[in-house]
Amino acid sequence: MKLDRYFYSMSAGMFLLLTFWGFHAFYLHGKPAFGDSIDPRMFVLDSIHGTVMSCWVVLFLIQSLLIGAGNRRLHMKLGWAALAIAPVLAISSVLTAFRSVQSSPDDPLFFAFPYHRFMLVMFTEIALYTAFLIAGLITRKRPAIHRSMMLFASLSILSGSTARIPALYPLFSEVGWRGLFGPIFAIGAVLLVIRFFLTRRLDRPFALGYTAMVVVYILASQLAFTETWNRIAMAMLKGSHIT
């Protein structure tokens, strides 16, 4: 069997390991990666968000294993579970991003982003995940495109896990987009190179997905510091503690 058959299974397995590594404090103790406890006002929402996020990563692994095992029929049937998970994931992500900023006692820095500015980055992650997912569903009968889009739907939200792994900071940074997205950019680049050596050609859908992810995230990181976004964020948070 060709090793290429298991490329996506191995990728999904790595995503699951990184997800557990980043959120092990929550999984094992119900606590955030940094800090003593989760704000009681956020606990239910964080739990829902964390559960569906984990379900998505597990689903991606199962689907990849089914294709690796040649069980395309079950893969296609189980794929509809994405329609149940994805809306909850997207909605809970938006609510978690907004309410976490709104409920913060001040405007803390996250990778050198003032939290109200970082909100744009969080919204962008949700939007990019949704875009990749829709592209994957539309192209479900075109495997070469479908599998790349589903991989990037998963990779595009993995920064929530890698950002909570301090061991990665020395390799990248603790500030700006390099620290926040550097790990997933590096993972995507390595996977692109591996895919090239496995197939002996450039996987264009994969390369386009990777390029789109990099460009969108760097652009969003820059726009987060503009006065235009500042005004929008202030309007959205009107009435909260942030001024």
Side-chain angles (χ1 to χ4, degrees), residues 9-87:
S9 300
M10 291 184 290
S11 299
M14 177 177 59
F15 294 175
L16 183 59
L17 287 174
L18 288 171
T19 298
F20 181 81
W21 189 1
F23 288 99
H24 71 276
F26 177 78
Y27 293 139
L28 300 178
H29 308 292
K31 295 182 177 181
F34 310 109
D36 297 327
S37 62
I38 297 175
D39 187 329
R41 295 172 295 178
M42 294 292 299
F43 187 81
V44 173
L45 183 57
D46 281 349
S47 297
I48 294 173
H49 175 64
T51 299
V52 293
M53 181 79 74
S54 301
C55 288
W56 175 265
V57 179
V58 171
L59 177 63
F60 179 54
L61 174 59
I62 293 173
Q63 289 292 76
S64 300
L65 289 171
L66 287 173
I67 290 296
N71 196 337
R72 183 177 177 82
R73 184 176 181 179
L74 182 56
H75 169 88
M76 294 182 69
K77 288 184 177 180
L78 188 59
W80 292 109
L83 294 181
I85 295 174

Side-chain angles (χ1 to χ4, degrees), residues 95-145:
L95 293 175
T96 300
F98 180 74
R99 291 183 181 176
S100 64
V101 176
Q102 193 176 46
S103 64
S104 295
D106 48 28
D107 194 14
L109 294 178
F110 190 74
F111 284 89
F113 289 87
Y115 211 25
H116 74 283
R117 293 187 181 274
F118 182 68
M119 189 165 59
L120 175 61
V121 178
M122 292 190 283
F123 287 163
T124 302
E125 288 182 310
I126 302 160
L128 195 56
Y129 161 79
T130 304
F132 279 131
L133 173 62
I134 292 173
L137 292 175
I138 292 173
T139 60
R140 62 188 182 277
K141 294 184 179 180
R142 301 174 64 184
I145 301 175

Side-chain angles (χ1 to χ4, degrees), residues 89-241:
L89 176 54
I91 294 171
S92 67
S93 296
V94 171
L95 293 175
T96 300
F98 180 74
R99 291 183 181 176
S100 64
V101 176
Q102 193 176 46
S103 64
S104 295
D106 48 28
D107 194 14
L109 294 178
F110 190 74
F111 284 89
F113 289 87
Y115 211 25
H116 74 283
R117 293 187 181 274
F118 182 68
M119 189 165 59
L120 175 61
V121 178
M122 292 190 283
F123 287 163
T124 302
E125 288 182 310
I126 302 160
L128 195 56
Y129 161 79
T130 304
F132 279 131
L133 173 62
I134 292 173
L137 292 175
I138 292 173
T139 60
R140 62 188 182 277
K141 294 184 179 180
R142 301 174 64 184
I145 301 175
H146 169 75
R147 58 197 181 194
S148 293
M149 295 302 100
M150 300 309 286
L151 182 144
F152 280 106
S154 302
L155 183 58
S156 65
I157 55 176
L158 193 63
S159 63
S161 301
T162 57
R164 290 169 171 81
I165 303 176
L168 295 178
Y169 297 167
L171 301 176
F172 298 93
S173 177
E174 292 186 58
V175 298
W177 66 261
R178 292 175 182 82
L180 181 61
F181 295 120
I184 67 170
F185 288 175
I187 290 170
V190 170
L191 292 178
L192 179 60
V193 171
I194 292 174
R195 186 120 191 92
F196 176 80
F197 281 105
L198 289 176
T199 62
R200 299 298 178 181
R201 60 182 177 81
L202 178 65
D203 187 327
R204 291 185 179 180
F206 197 100
L208 288 173
Y210 176 73
T211 301
M213 182 182 71
V214 172
V215 170
V216 169
Y217 280 158
I218 292 178
L219 183 59
S221 299
Q222 300 302 314
L223 291 175
F225 285 95
T226 63
E227 185 56 32
T228 298
W229 171 250
N230 185 60
R231 289 196 296 268
I232 294 173
M234 291 300 103
M236 293 175 65
L237 296 165
K238 187 176 181 181
S240 70
H241 60 278

